[in-house]
């Protein structure tokens, strides 16, 4: 048996078993998968083939595309109309507040240069679709908060949040090499990426619908075409420099609007496939985490991340004032935007690779943010959803 196949079996078996153990303990299964990844990864027992570790980013991206496509296939137009503007505010204001807070704290506590503190601030500020999206889909299945459109609102806001965070990270990285004028000008990238992602997603959804109407395809063929369409949307979005993950969600929502029976059936099948995707996603996130780096960040690092998350939660709370959400639901939204994982894993090592003086510290704090907030955020969503959200029996799909 080849090393790669052996590693795949180890990932699947350990991730599945650890997930079930944590569920038996009334904890989110993804925490068990993250722990399995940490133990299996190169920093502990080193049981995962280096070939898989080397393509871990691509595997995690495919898993994200899968869950975002499923999320899009559950976005009903009437719900989007109800939460659209609020999602836009949730995806921008709390991110800006948290990023600015971490920037200032890192500047004063660690003595980072302003630009390096800005890079760190918005790497830490980005929320994690890898944790948030599966959690929100579970809420939808259980009918929790669906009467106010809360899972959909949080899903859309999380995608926009990452656009803001990654764009601002890019601006500060640009300041290290290009000069302020060019990088500040790139602030225009934020509305361009969001609007472009929505428009391109609508175009991809429109083309898929027309293809389904004009060409007679079997159900299997339609699923293959949709999967290719999602991958195409992400690849071309990168070339066009628009928000690819947002485009995938929008394409799925458009398909639900125009081809509802197929979209709902495919969404149910994706839910089954996700059982495998979920294991790979969280085990591989755990595998790249270097716990020793997180320890190096120390108590001050924990303090900075904690204050940043609390400021974000406050930002979410004030952003939702005046909406149709009550105080408990606003609090839950704040908790839901606390987990970090995806952007921190992808971007945390970039400053170090660029040779920035404090690149190792930025990586250490990024790793700390994952270890600290991903488990607590996932636990918080699971625990408080039952206590802060009302159940909509009409929209409960689990039965």
């Amino acid at each position: 048996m080849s090393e790669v196949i052996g590693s795949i079996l180890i990932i699947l078996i350990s991730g599945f078993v650890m997930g079930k153990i944590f569920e038996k303990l009334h904890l989110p299964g993804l925490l068990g998968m993250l722990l399995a990844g940490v133990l299996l990864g190169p920093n502990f027992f080193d049981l995962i083939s280096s070939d898989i570790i080397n393509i871990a980013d691509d595997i995690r991206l495919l898993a994200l595309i899968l869950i975002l496509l499923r999320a899009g296939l559950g976005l009903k137009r009437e719900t989007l109309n109800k939460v659209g503007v609020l999602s836009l505010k949730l995806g921008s204001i709390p991110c800006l507040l948290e990023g600015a807070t971490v920037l200032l704290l890192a500047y004063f506590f660690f003595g980072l240069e302003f630009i390096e503190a800005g890079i760190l601030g918005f790497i830490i500020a980005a929320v994690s679709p890898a944790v948030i999206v599966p959690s929100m889909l579970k809420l939808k299945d259980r009918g929790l908060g669906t009467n106010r459109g809360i899972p959909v609102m949080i899903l859309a806001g999380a995608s926009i949040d990452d656009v803001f965070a990654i764009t601002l990270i890019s601006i500060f990285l640009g300041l290290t090499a290009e000069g302020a004028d060019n990088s500040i000008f790139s602030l225009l990238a934020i509305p361009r990426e969001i609007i472009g992602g929505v428009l391109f997603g609508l175009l991809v959804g429109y083309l898929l619908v027309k293809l389904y109407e004009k060409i007679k395809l079997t159900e299997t063929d339609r699923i293959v075409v949709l999967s290719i369409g999602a991958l195409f949307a992400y690849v071309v979005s990168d070339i066009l420099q628009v928000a690819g993950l947002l485009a995938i969600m929008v394409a799925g929502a458009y398909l639900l609007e125009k081809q509802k029976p197929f979209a709902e059936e495919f969404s149910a099948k994706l839910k089954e496939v996700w059982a495998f995707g979920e294991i790979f996603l969280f085990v591989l996130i755990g595998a790249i985490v270097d716990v020793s780096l997180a320890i190096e960040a120390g108590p001050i690092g924990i303090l900075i991340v904690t204050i940043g998350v609390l400021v974000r939660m406050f930002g979410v709370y004030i952003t939702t004032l005046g909406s149709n959400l009550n105080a408990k639901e606003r609090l839950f939204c704040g908790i839901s935007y606390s987990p970090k994982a995806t952007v921190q894993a992808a971007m945390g090592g970039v400053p170090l690779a660029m040779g920035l003086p404090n690149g190792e510290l930025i990586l250490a704090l990024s790793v700390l943010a994952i270890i600290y907030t991903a488990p607590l955020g996932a636990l918080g969503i699971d625990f408080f959803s039952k206590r802060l959200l009302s159940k909509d029996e009409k929209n409960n799909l689990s039965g």
Side-chain angles (χ1 to χ4, degrees):
M1 182 170 64
S2 76
E3 187 181 355
V4 171
I5 293 175
S7 294
I8 291 172
L9 278 174
I10 289 170
I11 289 170
L12 286 172
I13 293 170
S14 62
F16 176 79
V17 171
M18 289 292 283
K20 290 299 179 186
I21 289 172
F22 271 62
E23 286 176 3
K24 289 289 183 185
L25 296 171
H26 302 290
L27 298 170
L30 68 87
L31 299 185
M33 297 172 200
L34 281 170
L35 179 59
V38 171
L39 296 175
L40 294 174
N43 299 299
F44 280 87
F45 297 117
D46 197 16
L47 295 177
I48 300 177
S49 165
S50 59
D51 292 329
I52 290 182
I53 294 294
N54 291 337
I55 61 167
D57 286 345
D58 296 322
I59 296 173
R60 288 198 303 271
L61 178 59
L62 284 171
L64 268 179
I65 288 172
L66 179 71
I67 56 175
L68 285 163
L69 180 58
R70 186 184 160 210
L73 291 169
L75 297 179
K76 295 180 181 178
R77 185 177 61 173
E78 55 269 25
T79 309
L80 276 173
N81 289 340
K82 187 164 62 175
V83 302
V85 175
L86 190 53
S87 292
L88 184 60
K89 292 195 291 184
L90 281 171
S92 54
I93 296 171
C95 177
L96 291 169
L97 288 174
E98 182 180 7
T101 300
V102 174
L103 183 160
L104 292 171
L105 292 172
Y107 181 79
F108 287 109
F109 280 103
F110 286 116
L112 269 62
E113 295 293 328
F114 179 79
I115 292 172
E116 287 184 316
I119 294 168
L120 172 65
F122 288 99
I123 287 177
I124 298 296
V127 298
S128 175
V131 179
I132 292 172
V133 176
S135 299
M136 292 307 111
L137 292 177
K138 284 176 184 173
L139 291 190
K140 285 185 69 181
D141 290 342
R142 288 153 54 192
L144 285 170
T146 52
N147 55 330
R148 303 287 184 94
I150 290 171
V152 170
M153 177 183 66
I154 292 172
L155 282 171
S159 293
I160 294 168
D161 182 282
D162 277 5
V163 171
F164 264 81
I166 291 170
T167 303
L168 288 163
I169 294 164
S170 302
I171 289 169
F172 279 102
L173 287 171
L175 284 168
T176 65
E178 296 175 10
D181 291 341
N182 290 336
S183 293
I184 296 301
F185 182 74
S186 64
L187 278 168
L188 294 173
I190 295 175
R192 185 202 70 216
E193 286 205 23
I194 293 172
I195 295 168
V198 171
L199 293 176
F200 185 61
L202 288 172
L203 175 63
V204 171
Y206 173 80
L207 292 174
L208 285 170
V209 168
K210 288 300 175 187
L211 186 65
Y212 291 159
E213 289 175 352
K214 299 291 182 185
I215 303 174
K216 190 173 182 181
L217 298 170
T218 65
E219 184 182 328
T220 303
D221 291 338
R222 285 155 71 96
I223 290 171
V224 171
V225 168
L226 177 55
S227 303
I228 293 171
L231 287 170
F232 170 81
Y234 184 81
V235 172
V236 176
S237 293
D238 192 45
I239 296 169
L240 296 175
Q241 295 187 321
V242 299
L245 298 179
L246 188 59
I248 292 167
M249 287 180 65
V250 172
Y254 187 88
L255 196 64
L256 176 65
E257 176 73 16
K258 302 296 181 182
Q259 295 271 333
K260 189 175 180 180
F262 168 71
E264 289 178 341
E265 187 174 346
F266 183 52
S267 179
K269 289 182 178 177
L270 274 180
K271 184 179 175 182
E272 296 170 7
V273 174
W274 174 238
F276 293 95
E278 182 178 39
I279 292 172
F280 273 100
L281 178 63
F282 292 113
V283 171
L284 289 175
I285 286 175
I288 60 99
V289 167
D290 188 341
V291 177
S292 63
L293 276 178
I295 294 170
E296 282 179 27
I300 294 177
I302 291 176
L303 178 66
I304 288 175
V305 173
T306 301
I307 293 173
V309 169
L310 291 174
V311 168
R312 168 181 280 276
M313 290 176 67
F314 174 72
V316 170
Y317 196 86
I318 61 171
T319 299
T320 52
L321 286 173
S323 68
N324 67 337
L325 305 182
N326 60 39
K328 287 183 177 181
E329 291 163 339
R330 293 201 299 274
L331 175 59
F332 176 78
C333 290
I335 294 166
S336 296
Y337 281 120
S338 61
K340 322 284 181 183
T342 320
V343 172
Q344 292 73 25
M347 303 291 290
V350 172
L352 181 61
M354 290 176 65
L356 296 187
N358 290 292
E360 192 166 335
L361 175 61
I362 292 172
L363 176 58
L365 286 165
S366 301
V367 172
L368 176 65
I370 297 172
I371 294 173
Y372 179 34
T373 66
L376 287 178
L379 277 169
I381 292 170
D382 186 63
F383 180 82
F384 287 105
S385 63
K386 303 160 192 169
R387 291 157 178 81
L388 299 177
L389 300 181
S390 59
K391 190 164 187 176
D392 184 1
E393 299 295 342
K394 248 188 340 183
N395 291 321
N396 184 7
L397 304 178
S398 59

